[in-house]
Amino acid sequence: MKPFPVWIEQIHEADKLTGAETTVHAIAAHPDGSKIVAATSNTIRVYNTATGEFLKILPGHKGAVYCLSFNRDGSRLASGGADKCVIIWSEDLTGILKYQHGESIQAVCFNPASTTCLSCTASEFGTWSPEQKNVDKKKLSSKITCCSWTKDGQYFALGLYSGSISIFALKGGEERIRIERTSSQPIWCLQWNPSKAEAVDIMAVADWNQKLSFYQLNGRQIGKDRNLGYDPGCLKWFTGGEYLIIGGSNYQIGLYTKEGIFLTKLAEMGSWVWAVDVVPYENFVISGSQEGSLVLTQLNFNTVHGLYKERYAYRENMTDVIIQNLAQDQKVKIKCRDWVKKVAIYKYRLAVQLPDKIIIYELYSDDVSDMHYRIKDKILQRLECNLLVVTSNHIILCRDNRLQAFSFSGTKEREWVLEANIRYIKVVGGPQGKEGLLVGLRNGQVLKIFVDNPFPMLIIKQANSIRCIDISMERKKLAIIDETYTCSVYDIKTKELLFQEPNATSLAWNTHNEDMVCFSSNGFLNIKASNFPVHQKKMNGYVVGFSGSKIFCLQNMTMTAVDIPQSAPMNQYMDKRLFDAAYKVACLGVTNTDWLNLAMAALENLNLEIAKNAFIRVRELKYLEFIQQVEIKRQKKVEMSNTAILADYNAFKGNFQEAAKLYKKDGLESKAMEMFCDLRQFENAKDFLTSSDPKNVKGLITRQAEWCKSTNDFQSAIDLYLAASAFGEAIQIAGQQKWCEKLLEISRKMDKSYFTELRECARYFTEMGKYDLAAEIYQKLGELNSLVKLYIQSQQWDEAFLLCEDNPEFRQSVYIPYANYLAENDKFDEAQDAYYTAGKPLEAIKVLEKLTYNAVTEKRFNDASYYFWKLSMSYLKLANQAQKQDLEEEINNYLDKFQDYQHRAEVYYAYYTLYRYTEEPFTSHLPEALFNMARFLVHQISQEVPYGISKVSVLFALAKQSKNMEAYKLARHCFDKLQQLRIPQRYQEAIDLNSITIRSKPFNDNEDLLPMCSKCSTTNPLLNQMGNQCINCQQPFIHSFYAFEVLPLVEFIPEPNISDEEAVRLINQEPPRRRDSTWQENRREGVETMTFGDVPEEYDDGNTFEARLQNFDSLTSYQPVEVDAGILKNLSKSHVIILKWEPPLRYQFFNNLMPEIILSTCNSCNRIFYSDDLELQLLQKQRCPFCRKPVDVTEKTTSQT
């Protein structure tokens, strides 16, 4: 950083004759940098910025001019002074407007975002814009000394003589914040930072307490006050807000960082400095003093940086050091908070020179990617130098012709005094504490100095001064750029000049390749490999490093890493067939295309190692596999000539004709033919076919057929396969294309020996639905097993049954699928017969159980009842079979299942009607029937509620019908029970209402509804705690299975010595002869009886059915009435109902005590109905309502009156 004056104007010398005051109160630089305006006494002077030429004076003020300000585009200039006037000047500096205040003008400032001008006096401030007719003025209690706008123009700050700062908003003009400072010294200058990169607005404030402070827009102070050591007179932000320029009572212009750290002195004045301004877009500072001097100073910022491999350290904002990893694009900042004069970096060391010390940093770890530094040592000395480098343990300072080595503790360990001034120095590495230095001198010498050696070593002596030097990776070559910009490369060992290149400004050897060097010249980057011609690329800047394919270039104080593929040097080596050197260059960084070219060229020249490594880079698996095959053959010592390798290579490359010629040359015609077959070039393949080899002929035909198949020419493919006797492939194509006739033609050409092919034909015929053709093939092969499967798949059951007649071993294989087929088509009876025929009764039961579960789940309770009945009958059959095998335990299990499923069938049968009654608005059943069904269900589900049945629905239906039938006691009981259950919302209101209204009814039931036991004539309650049986004799009630009324039936059983068939025979005999007397008196066991009407002769002894009814014990469990042969003979067969169950169950016998009631039974399900009800159902549905048997299996049994 070097400040130097551009021009100086001594205004006081020019005004000595007039004796006028010459103090420079204010300075303003035009926004375009063309001119400078200075306020001296009561005049405004205009100067040319570039030359300092005085242009003119702007008259207009009658007193001293204190302040000046240009607007943002320079079209307006505002000036104010002791005459209390503000004058607005045009772009050509002609006065166009004047307005006044009540006191002298202390400060003026244009808004950076608009045309508003702010003017301040000792007691007020005002804002003016061309859109306003009047100046908007506001009073303040303290004198205003300075003012400034924020960068967006929304707020302005006023510095007050009282030491306070007021911040006002443009909109409304109200004070937003008042900053009260601890010091009461006047605020003499302030300015907001104009940088748009700052996230918040920052204001720099200098007061006459010799303090510099920084504040945010919200009034919060940033950091602490900084001591200036003098009274400030002026303050300006420099280079867009990166630095501060401050002048004052110390007669100097000082450069500060944006944090307020002093950097350097820019100019020395002869008196107080009252005015300073910055020329926009240039590093120019204009300053004015008390004595009337104007000085334009230019500040040049030098690049302070250091580079070691990919690590680049440079200075930023004069006080910070940035370390950048150019390869990984990582950065880290070190805040030094002082002027950084020099920077040096080497390996894990970093040295930073400040004005009064040198700080040495080190990396936290040895990791090459680590970017964290910490302070290792400090040299607390003011050491002046021209150049600075750092090694592992030393700091090297260059000053003129002296080279000094300091330890990190600050001890000077060694000093070298050289013959001429040092122009260039570089650390070239070495052991720790013994590093070597390359030093270039003004007299053309290049020396090598070791840190631990006091004696320099001369390497090269040139005639011209040294500008830049570098040494190659292996320390064998030295590159030098001299004062004539000539790049010379020497062999260090022989001192031989290898080559020279003109117009070089900077150079660098590649750190990864001994023979590659690059240098910059006249906007071009030059890369030279070995002795090959230079390869140029257009690029501005200076080359400072060359690592792999990355070139580090310094341009406009910015270091960039440019990735340049090394294609040209690689191609130069390839042209000379130097593949090892070309591979090393390619490893630095080339494109995938370059790698492929290198690999191909190496392979063509049979350099397999280089070719393999290059192919690995581009992941060319095809060529890698080829090279691997060649290497394996060589390892196994397989004879393989270079001609054969080249032929294979040409084939891989796609040069097939050349490959074929090479194969033929090497005697490998078969490989040529195979290649052309793979390419589907069969005509070319025939040229290499020998007629003496039939295998090759067949193979060629097969390959041609495969190609036809892949191109969808299936007809030709089939013909070719048949010509090659490849029937399997021809069958596959014909079958996949569903060509039935072609498939039939092929199948009839083959005999039984083509077993697999014929089976494949049959399979395709089956898929196409041509079952007769498939059967023909299976019969031809004698494949009965497959024939059975075919009949089953095609559902040709008759043919399958005929086959079973001749071959009984297939019976199970046929009837099980047949049963499944029937079950799927809802033919469950036939399906069960088929399962039984197949010997799989349990399979039939599983089908029914699944159907039953689905019916219950889907609320098809009528179907569920039917399926449960079917299940019960199935288990009865199983019990019958178990009885034949004397399996007592299985019999009991099956009978338990039978009874359970019979019970469930009756429950779901009755619930079906009640469910429809509760869910649908209408029903075909009478209230009495619904009442009886509900009573029946309540008794049946008292112990267990089957799945799917709603107890709420049953109780609700019974409650409603009980209320309608005047069974109020039962209705109240049902409603009470309902209140204890979870009731669906749709029933809630009706149940709640009826639960209340039923209490207004009598607490009794209609006596006409009470059921009477036919056996003991006991009247039973409507709701029986014992269930569906008499409370006295415990005989179960027999219901009609339509209206569910209690039937007047009494169950009886024959004596144990009478079989069921004998009992039926006795009942069916003619009744005995009857006497003519109309009455008869009998005495027996103390009981006198009188019988009216015709009396059978056998009645003389009193052994009658009616007498047997009286013999029961209510304390024992229920037993049916037991009758002997005589009673059976006397029973009228029209009064007796017989339920004939299959063994092991016995028949059930019931006597109708009210013969005038005509009853009917279903011989299939053994359910009893009123004859009228059953006849009506048969007329409507032509089947039994319970078991769904057709009419012809139902017979009517009547009783005579």
Side-chain angles (χ1 to χ4, degrees), residues 1001-1107:
K1001 303 297 182 180
F1003 189 65
N1004 55 30
D1005 294 327
N1006 187 350
E1007 294 184 357
D1008 294 339
L1009 301 177
L1010 300 178
M1012 186 179 69
C1013 177
S1014 300
K1015 181 178 180 182
C1016 64
S1017 301
T1018 302
T1019 301
N1020 285 263
L1022 294 176
L1023 190 62
N1024 190 347
Q1025 296 297 329
M1026 299 179 66
N1028 194 30
Q1029 62 184 19
C1030 175
I1031 60 175
N1032 185 29
C1033 65
Q1034 302 180 21
Q1035 172 179 275
F1037 291 119
I1038 310 301
H1039 295 269
S1040 165
F1041 263 76
Y1042 181 76
F1044 278 84
E1045 294 182 1
V1046 177
L1047 298 177
L1049 298 178
V1050 176
E1051 184 179 5
F1052 64 91
I1053 58 174
E1055 289 180 342
N1057 59 346
I1058 302 176
S1059 65
D1060 292 340
E1061 292 76 9
E1062 179 65 18
V1064 172
R1065 186 185 64 78
L1066 292 173
I1067 292 172
N1068 290 331
Q1069 287 183 356
E1070 289 293 328
R1073 182 177 56 83
R1074 297 179 180 273
R1075 297 176 181 173
D1076 293 336
S1077 58
T1078 58
W1079 67 273
Q1080 182 179 1
E1081 179 180 356
N1082 293 312
R1083 292 175 181 266
R1084 191 173 192 179
E1085 296 179 1
V1087 179
E1088 293 184 357
T1089 60
M1090 180 178 290
T1091 304
F1092 296 91
D1094 295 335
V1095 181
E1097 293 180 357
E1098 288 78 356
Y1099 278 23
D1100 292 342
D1101 58 358
N1103 186 21
T1104 64
F1105 186 83
E1106 289 77 6

Side-chain angles (χ1 to χ4, degrees), residues 815-841 843-845 847-848 851 870:
Y815 278 96
I816 290 177
Y818 178 58
N820 293 333
Y821 162 76
L822 293 173
E824 290 171 0
N825 289 275
D826 295 337
K827 298 180 179 179
F828 300 109
D829 293 334
E830 295 89 338
Q832 283 187 307
D833 294 338
Y835 276 125
Y836 284 118
T837 304
K840 296 289 183 179
E843 296 296 328
I845 292 175
V847 172
L848 278 176
L851 291 171
K870 293 287 290 183

Side-chain angles (χ1 to χ4, degrees), residues 441-461:
L441 305 183
R442 186 178 292 276
N443 64 358
Q445 289 183 349
V446 178
L447 305 175
K448 189 170 185 179
I449 299 175
F450 292 95
V451 175
D452 63 335
N453 192 331
F455 303 104
M457 298 170 54
L458 178 64
I459 301 177
I460 295 292
K461 174 68 170 71

Side-chain angles (χ1 to χ4, degrees), residues 329-383:
D329 197 22
Q330 295 179 335
K331 288 184 179 181
V332 63
K333 178 186 286 189
I334 299 176
K335 287 184 172 291
C336 299
R337 305 186 188 282
D338 204 345
W339 178 23
V340 176
K341 300 179 71 175
K342 296 286 188 299
V343 173
I345 187 169
Y346 175 73
K347 290 187 178 179
Y348 47 86
R349 296 281 190 259
L350 171 70
V352 179
Q353 183 185 23
L354 303 178
D356 56 353
K357 58 188 172 184
I358 297 176
I359 304 177
I360 298 94
Y361 297 87
E362 66 177 357
L363 284 171
Y364 271 83
S365 67
D366 295 334
D367 186 2
V368 294
S369 62
D370 187 16
M371 294 292 289
H372 297 84
Y373 285 85
R374 61 186 174 189
I375 295 177
K376 176 177 176 58
D377 283 302
K378 294 182 181 180
I379 301 177
L380 302 177
Q381 300 179 36
R382 184 182 293 273
L383 300 173

